């Protein structure tokens, strides 16, 4: 019993930085995982990844002007994310290029510009902080920001739940029977951006999308209803956060990557063992053909 307490409970009881990291990660799980479900259902998972990279120049601009201050970096990231989303959308509507290609071009340019900007003033440690985050260094300002984003996201998802689900299933039908089609699409993109900005505080620009996509992708193998998928994604994300923080503490691993690796393990397990995974959907057919 003592060993169980020392391994699983003591780190969160004895250290304030672990408590703040856990609180921040759990709030991100509640906020980002359901957004990831809708991204996945819309087949926009790579768009989320592109947007995560797109916020880097804005965050880097805030860093250049004010250093590692949460408000300037957050505002910069938010502005950059919105500009890239609007720019990619404009290119796809005004030219022959599709939105996924224009988004890829914008995010690659953004990533390169952001890295160069951070390198102009900061050290390699600063660059690693911006790219991979420092969940163990979350302060009260960062937790307040994450909490605010969580409240906005959950409120918006509950209020626009039917419209969001309808747009995932048949966006043309939604636009034909309701005026909410286009507004809901832009509201949803706004939720993606603010969750990536919040995740950036803990996991950096390269990993913030991980808690959004991996739990959602894992939940897809366990459930079919959207509401159930959202709840499962939150649970998987929360467990991955706890496991990652404990792994980071006991094995002296970087905390952000440890959380995402834990979520990756949950995804791999779901691919293999879930009711809609490989074992349950493929093996019986193989066995039947062999017989």
């Amino acid at each position: 019993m003592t060993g169980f307490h020392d391994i699983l409970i003591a780190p969160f009881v004895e250290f304030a930085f672990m408590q703040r990291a856990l609180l921040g990660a759990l709030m991100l799980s509640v906020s980002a995982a359901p957004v990831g479900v809708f991204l996945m259902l819309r087949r926009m998972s790579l768009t989320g990844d592109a947007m995560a990279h797109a916020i880097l120049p804005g965050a880097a601009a805030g860093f250049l002007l004010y250093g590692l201050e949460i408000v300037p970096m957050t505002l910069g990231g938010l502005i950059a994310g919105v500009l890239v989303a609007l720019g990619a959308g404009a290119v796809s509507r005004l030219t022959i290029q599709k939105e996924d290609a224009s988004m890829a071009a914008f995010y690659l340019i953004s990533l390169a510009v952001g890295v160069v900007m951070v390198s102009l003033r900061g050290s390699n440690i600063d660059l690693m902080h911006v790219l991979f985050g420092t969940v163990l260094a979350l302060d009260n300002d960062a937790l307040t920001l994450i909490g605010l984003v969580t409240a906005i996201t959950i409120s918006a998802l509950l209020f626009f739940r039917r419209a969001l689900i309808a747009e995932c299933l048949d966006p043309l039908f939604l636009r034909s029977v309701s005026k909410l089609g286009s507004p809901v699409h832009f509201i949803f993109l706004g939720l993606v951006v603010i969750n990536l900005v919040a995740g950036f505080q803990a996991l950096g620009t390269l990993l913030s999308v991980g808690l959004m996509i991996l739990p959602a992708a894992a939940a897809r193998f366990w459930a079919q209803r959207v509401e159930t998928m959202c709840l499962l994604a939150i649970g998987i994300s929360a467990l991955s956060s706890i496991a990652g923080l404990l792994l980071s503490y006991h094995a002296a691993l970087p905390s952000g990557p440890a959380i995402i690796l834990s979520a990756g393990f949950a995804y791999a397990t779901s691919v293999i063992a879930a009711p809609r995974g490989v074992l349950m959907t493929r093996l019986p057919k193989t066995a039947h053909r062999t017989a």
Side-chain angles (χ1 to χ4, degrees), residues 31 44 114 136 217 233 235 256 281:
S31 181
M44 293 173 60
L136 295 180
T281 59

Side-chain angles (χ1 to χ4, degrees), residues 91-144:
V91 170
S92 67
R93 284 166 176 76
L94 298 176
T95 70
I96 60 172
Q97 194 169 65
K98 293 185 177 179
E99 191 169 14
D100 60 340
S102 59
M103 185 67 78
F106 271 80
Y107 102 72
L108 287 170
I109 295 169
S110 298
L111 179 61
V113 169
V115 171
V116 170
M117 289 174 69
V118 175
S119 300
L120 287 176
R121 171 176 170 177
S123 63
N124 289 335
I125 295 176
D126 294 324
L127 181 60
M128 293 292 286
H129 171 88
V130 172
L131 293 179
F132 298 105
T134 51
V135 67
L136 295 180
L138 289 177
D139 56 18
N140 291 335
D141 290 339
L143 290 177
T144 301

Side-chain angles (χ1 to χ4, degrees), residues 179-290:
K179 296 180 179 180
L180 286 175
S182 294
V184 162
H185 178 71
F186 287 105
I187 289 170
F188 177 71
L189 287 180
L191 293 179
V192 173
V193 172
I194 64 172
N195 275 276
L196 289 172
V197 170
F200 157 77
Q201 304 299 330
L203 300 170
T205 57
L206 295 187
L207 296 178
S208 60
V209 74
L211 274 186
M212 189 177 288
I213 298 300
L214 285 172
R220 185 72 184 274
F221 290 101
W222 296 93
Q224 297 186 42
R225 290 179 56 84
V226 175
E227 294 89 346
T228 308
M229 265 189 262
C230 289
L231 292 175
L232 279 173
I234 291 172
I236 292 170
S237 182
L239 289 174
S240 300
S241 298
I242 296 170
L245 288 172
L246 289 172
L247 185 63
S248 170
Y249 177 81
H250 291 293
L253 297 176
S255 52
I259 291 174
I260 303 306
L261 280 176
S262 298
F265 176 79
Y267 172 74
T269 302
S270 301
V271 169
I272 297 170
R276 303 176 72 192
V278 173
L279 291 180
M280 298 297 289
T281 59
R282 299 297 179 186
L283 288 187
K285 297 179 182 179
T286 304
H288 178 74
R289 287 197 297 267
T290 304

Side-chain angles (χ1 to χ4, degrees), residues 2-22 136 242-251:
T2 303
F4 173 85
H5 180 274
D6 291 341
I7 294 173
L8 300 181
I9 299 176
F12 298 116
V13 173
E14 296 176 4
F15 300 102
F17 70 89
M18 289 290 287
Q19 295 169 10
R20 288 193 295 270
L22 178 62
L136 295 180
I242 296 170
L245 288 172
L246 289 172
L247 185 63
S248 170
Y249 177 81
H250 291 293

Side-chain angles (χ1 to χ4, degrees), residues 29 66 103 156 177:
S29 298
Y66 298 98
M103 185 67 78
V177 300

Side-chain angles (χ1 to χ4, degrees), residues 39 52 54 67 70 73 98 137 157 159 164 176 181 188 194 223-224:
L39 268 177
I70 182 171
M73 293 180 71
K98 293 185 177 179
L157 290 179
F159 189 79
L164 285 168
S176 67
F188 177 71
I194 64 172
Q224 297 186 42

